[in-house]
Amino acid sequence: MNRTLLIGGAVAAVLVAVVILLVVRPGHRSAGEGVAIVFATDWKAQAEHGGFYQALAKGYYKQAGLDVTIQQGGPGVNVPQLLATNTVQFGIGSNSFIPINVVMAKAGSKAVMATFQKDPQVLIAHPRDDVKSIADMKGKPIMVSDATTTSFWPWLKAKYGFTDAQIRKYTFNLAPFLTDKNAIQEGYLSSEPYTVEKEAKFKPQVFLLSDNGYPGYAAFIMATDEMIADHPDVVQKFVEASIRGWVDYLYGDPSPANALIKRDNPEMTDDLIAHAIATLKAHGVVDSGDTATLGIGAMTDARWEEFYNEMSAAGVFPKGIDVHSAYTLEFVNHGVGNDLKKELTANKP
């Protein structure tokens, strides 16, 4: 499903009043377990968070001297707001819009690692002769969410000539798509296509935006400015342990993480998780491009600049934003995890 989360002001006062007393300050040490860290995810526990759960289950965080609590998200959870109130020290920023929105809101956090080299947003269509590419969708009705109209939809307009007249509302209910053979809608690579195939017994056409020129990263680790400035060693340890968790999850035995995922989110089944892992690997969502040399979590100035330039040209962001304020390369691009990947894949075909 669409994970675009915009920073909302309506809940800020409530969050500050209710949860500020629950803050786990960086540097606090729990009994014998290391530095206490709360890490907020952007959705309910799932394979898309698998590397973080693997780092927890396999002890990578503990070995780094961190006592990490993973706080799963869900509908209505605003990770940037949790970071802004210092309720959590780290959180997932769902896509490349989030860190730039944080800069615009002066909300006090930035991206320190890009878990997904490819944003998993897709457009899906029924098998049909008149739609074989995204370009073929020009002029045709497409169901998208309200959040999408201010995120990747303007990019589609700029690149493919789409117009707002094509927009039909997507409410995360698949019934309208399943009942209309001419329907096209947005989706998440590892979610809606699988559900369609399982429930409707046909394989939809799936168009991954990232394979069609969309430049965004996704699933960032976001850290508070306080953590980055005052505790860079903790940030480095959290990032490196998370990278090793992701390498282990993708190329080793994922069952330790999967057990924790199912504990936190009983809706997750073995087949859903297995499908998601296979999808992440098949499409190079986590490990592709720059990660071959720089390691999982890689980010580059060039990719960030490309994303901002394209989105500002499409009218999503105003001109003149310092995109470099949205992220830091200090903690990534060191090849961390490449040795573990080599070890885990050495005896595999």
Side-chain angles (χ1 to χ4, degrees):
M1 65 180 300
N2 187 283
R3 309 292 168 85
T4 303
L5 302 177
L6 302 179
I7 299 174
V11 297
V14 175
L15 282 168
V16 172
V18 176
V19 303
I20 195 67
L21 295 177
L22 301 178
V23 171
V24 181
R25 290 291 180 181
H28 168 73
R29 289 187 176 272
S30 54
E33 295 295 332
V35 179
I37 293 296
V38 179
F39 174 56
T41 67
D42 57 342
W43 199 249
K44 296 177 183 179
Q46 55 189 326
E48 288 83 352
H49 305 144
F52 305 116
Y53 278 98
Q54 189 82 337
L56 184 63
K58 294 290 290 289
Y60 291 123
Y61 291 134
K62 186 175 182 180
Q63 291 166 20
L66 306 177
D67 178 18
V68 174
T69 298
I70 298 178
Q71 179 178 306
Q72 68 171 337
V77 171
N78 189 319
V79 173
Q81 188 63 56
L82 294 175
L83 288 161
T85 58
N86 211 14
T87 307
V88 302
Q89 290 76 52
F90 299 94
I92 293 181
S94 301
N95 53 52
S96 291
F97 296 97
I98 301 300
I100 300 176
N101 285 338
V102 167
V103 171
M104 295 173 64
K106 299 180 180 178
S109 64
K110 55 174 54 72
V112 296
M113 167 180 159
T115 306
F116 291 175
Q117 297 299 297
K118 296 181 178 182
D119 190 314
Q121 294 292 342
V122 298
L123 292 175
I124 62 174
H126 289 252
R128 48 193 288 192
D129 293 335
D130 62 334
V131 174
K132 297 299 182 183
S133 68
I134 293 178
D136 293 337
M137 298 177 186
K138 181 179 178 180
K140 296 177 172 59
I142 302 176
M143 291 182 283
V144 296
S145 68
D146 290 341
T148 294
T149 62
T150 56
S151 57
F152 64 79
W153 182 259
W155 175 80
L156 289 167
K157 290 167 64 178
K159 184 173 179 65
Y160 293 103
F162 287 13
T163 68
D164 289 343
Q166 295 177 241
I167 293 175
R168 303 293 185 271
K169 190 174 181 63
Y170 177 47
T171 62
F172 303 102
N173 177 358
L174 281 174
F177 178 83
L178 297 178
T179 57
D180 182 0
K181 292 185 178 181
N182 291 317
I184 303 170
Q185 71 161 61
E186 69 167 277
Y188 206 69
L189 180 63
S190 55
S191 180
E192 282 88 348
Y194 177 73
T195 303
V196 168
E197 190 169 351
K198 188 172 182 180
E199 294 186 3
K201 310 303 180 186
F202 74 87
K203 191 176 183 68
Q205 295 190 86
V206 180
F207 304 91
L208 181 62
L209 299 189
S210 293
D211 285 344
N212 289 273
Y214 186 62
Y217 294 113
F220 296 97
I221 292 180
M222 303 283 292
T224 63
D225 288 347
E226 178 183 346
M227 285 295 300
I228 294 169
D230 297 342
H231 305 277
D233 58 325
V234 174
V235 178
Q236 191 72 66
K237 289 175 180 178
F238 184 79
V239 167
E240 291 189 0
S242 297
I243 291 171
R244 291 190 174 93
W246 271 105
V247 172
D248 200 328
Y249 189 67
L250 292 174
Y251 301 109
D253 174 12
S255 60
N258 293 344
L260 295 184
I261 290 170
K262 289 187 290 184
R263 179 201 66 186
D264 282 0
N265 181 11
E267 295 178 0
M268 279 293 113
T269 61
D270 289 334
D271 63 322
L272 281 172
I273 292 173
H275 169 78
I277 294 173
T279 299
L280 293 174
K281 294 174 70 173
H283 291 271
V285 172
V286 177
D287 193 7
S288 62
D290 293 326
T291 64
T293 54
L294 302 180
I296 282 175
M299 297 188 292
T300 67
D301 291 325
R303 276 281 299 272
W304 270 107
E305 290 165 3
E306 179 186 9
F307 178 81
Y308 172 68
N309 290 339
E310 290 199 22
M311 295 308 140
S312 60
V316 179
F317 296 119
K319 302 286 186 179
I321 295 175
D322 180 10
V323 69
H324 301 287
S325 298
Y327 66 96
T328 174
L329 305 181
E330 178 181 354
F331 307 104
V332 292
N333 300 348
H334 307 310
V336 172
N338 287 351
D339 54 344
L340 179 59
K341 178 181 174 182
K342 185 176 181 180
E343 175 186 332
L344 292 172
T345 58
N347 298 319
K348 291 186 177 180

